[in-house]
Amino acid sequence: MASDQGLVRATACAIVDKLNSGDITPLDLLDVLERRIADVDGQVNALPTLCFDRARSHAKELMKEAGRRSRACLAGMPLPIKDLTAVEGVLTTQGSPIYKDNIPPVPISWSNISNITAV
């Protein structure tokens, strides 16, 4: 597998190519992403709500289906969604302490995002 630094600096197209060739898995990418967020997010606070368990579960499902169908355009590449966007069952603060407990009732359609096989 490529180094963390190599994957962090790679383009989305290069990552999708590596996923499609089997050089890396969506789970590998989630591990790299989790380490990178731990290293830098304390300084930038860009991703206050993390859903790695949910992402890993989705990645495992994608990997099971890999032989049955194409992984589509993102091939299992993680897709961070800022907490300005409502996602079902996920804390959405909209960048404000006013919404520190906000879990919106009307989410974006995760099925639309997962159909392009993002995790």
Side-chain angles (χ1 to χ4, degrees):
M1 182 179 74
S3 72
D4 282 12
Q5 208 49 247
L7 289 173
V8 166
R9 299 201 182 287
T11 66
C13 290
I15 288 173
V16 169
D17 287 346
K18 288 180 182 295
L19 285 163
N20 284 327
S21 71
D23 290 344
I24 58 174
T25 70
L27 293 172
D28 295 331
L29 288 173
L30 287 168
D31 291 343
V32 169
L33 182 60
E34 190 167 25
R35 285 190 293 272
R36 180 66 175 167
I37 289 169
D39 288 346
V40 265
D41 201 53
Q43 299 163 2
V44 296
N45 194 33
L47 298 168
T49 305
L50 303 175
C51 301
F52 281 105
D53 291 339
R54 182 178 181 161
R56 282 189 176 87
S57 175
H58 188 64
K60 288 175 185 174
E61 287 301 314
L62 284 176
M63 291 166 66
K64 283 183 200 173
E65 294 176 5
R68 293 187 294 237
R69 69 175 177 97
S70 167
R71 286 192 191 160
C73 63
L74 292 181
M77 183 175 71
L79 178 66
I81 299 173
K82 290 287 293 169
D83 75 334
L84 299 173
T85 303
V87 176
E88 184 176 8
V90 177
L91 180 67
T92 305
T93 68
Q94 299 178 25
S96 172
I98 294 169
Y99 298 107
K100 67 180 176 61
D101 299 319
N102 182 43
I103 297 178
V106 181
I108 64 168
S109 175
W110 172 248
S111 64
N112 287 342
I113 294 171
S114 65
N115 282 341
I116 59 172
T117 63
V119 295

